[in-house]
Amino acid sequence: PLKLGRHCSLKFRLSHLFALRPICCASEDRSAYGNLTNIATQAMSRPLPIEYGAITPENVEELRKVNAACFPVSYNAGFYREIAVRRDDRLNKFAFYSGKVVGAVCTRLEPISNNRHRLYIMTLGVLAAYRGREVGTQLIQSILDYFEEERDGKLATVDEICLHVQT
């Protein structure tokens, strides 16, 4: 199970987190929009082929923009400075689609007890226009893949991966 929040531990398929449901107004004639809705739903259900890119001091402002668009809270300058200086592109990265930033994930290694650690996913954001296309799922999967690659190496002391969710 992936642990969420302080008091809950849930098992779920990551793809369910980022599903976008089509909306149809009850007062409108649904038949006029039926075909358009089906086409839009089919297009939006296909995963976007994203590429990953490092967060650096030169592009950290893009992270600030993604976070401002995705979250109801503001992060201080220290947060962005820490991410940019750390330059750990396996734990902190952008998702690019057609050369544009469409999402980002920021993760840190934090101590939990005697020489044991957790990977804490601090932020995971996908711009609204790209949600429902598995961008967030791919970002999380990239973190899980890195953990699997390094579980006997750099990340041997990691016992859990934590993500707090605000809905």
Side-chain angles (χ1 to χ4, degrees), residues 109-118 155-159:
L109 190 66
E110 60 182 31
I112 53 176
S113 66
N114 299 333
N115 220 10
R116 305 309 298 169
H117 296 87
R118 78 168 52 103
L155 302 177
T157 63
V158 172
D159 292 327

Side-chain angles (χ1 to χ4, degrees), residues 6-27:
R6 292 185 190 156
H7 306 290
C8 62
S9 177
L10 301 174
K11 288 183 182 179
F12 60 90
R13 288 182 45 198
L14 294 176
S15 60
H16 290 168
L17 285 178
F18 306 100
L20 183 62
R21 296 179 185 93
I23 298 171
C24 183
C25 182
S27 64

Side-chain angles (χ1 to χ4, degrees), residues 15-47:
S15 60
H16 290 168
L17 285 178
F18 306 100
L20 183 62
R21 296 179 185 93
I23 298 171
C24 183
C25 182
S27 64
E28 295 177 314
D29 177 11
R30 292 173 191 237
S31 62
Y33 297 100
N35 192 34
L36 182 59
T37 301
N38 289 340
I39 292 169
T41 301
Q42 288 171 1
M44 289 178 17
S45 65
R46 283 187 238 133

Side-chain angles (χ1 to χ4, degrees), residues 5 7 50 86 105 155 162:
H7 306 290
I50 62 168
R86 200 172 338 138
V105 64
L155 302 177
C162 182

Side-chain angles (χ1 to χ4, degrees), residues 46-117:
R46 283 187 238 133
L48 279 182
I50 62 168
E51 295 180 3
Y52 302 111
I55 299 170
T56 67
E58 294 76 32
N59 67 13
V60 74
E61 274 306 307
E62 290 297 315
L63 177 62
R64 189 183 306 271
K65 291 174 186 176
V66 168
N67 287 351
C70 294
F71 306 121
V73 297
S74 296
Y75 293 90
N76 64 35
F79 172 84
Y80 295 102
R81 191 171 35 256
E82 176 190 340
I83 297 298
V85 170
R86 200 172 338 138
R87 288 191 171 221
D88 190 347
D89 63 338
R90 299 296 305 270
L91 293 175
N92 303 292
K93 62 186 83 175
F94 288 117
F96 289 94
Y97 175 67
S98 294
K100 296 179 182 152
V101 173
V102 298
V105 64
C106 296
T107 310
R108 72 174 173 225
L109 190 66
E110 60 182 31
I112 53 176
S113 66
N114 299 333
N115 220 10
R116 305 309 298 169
H117 296 87

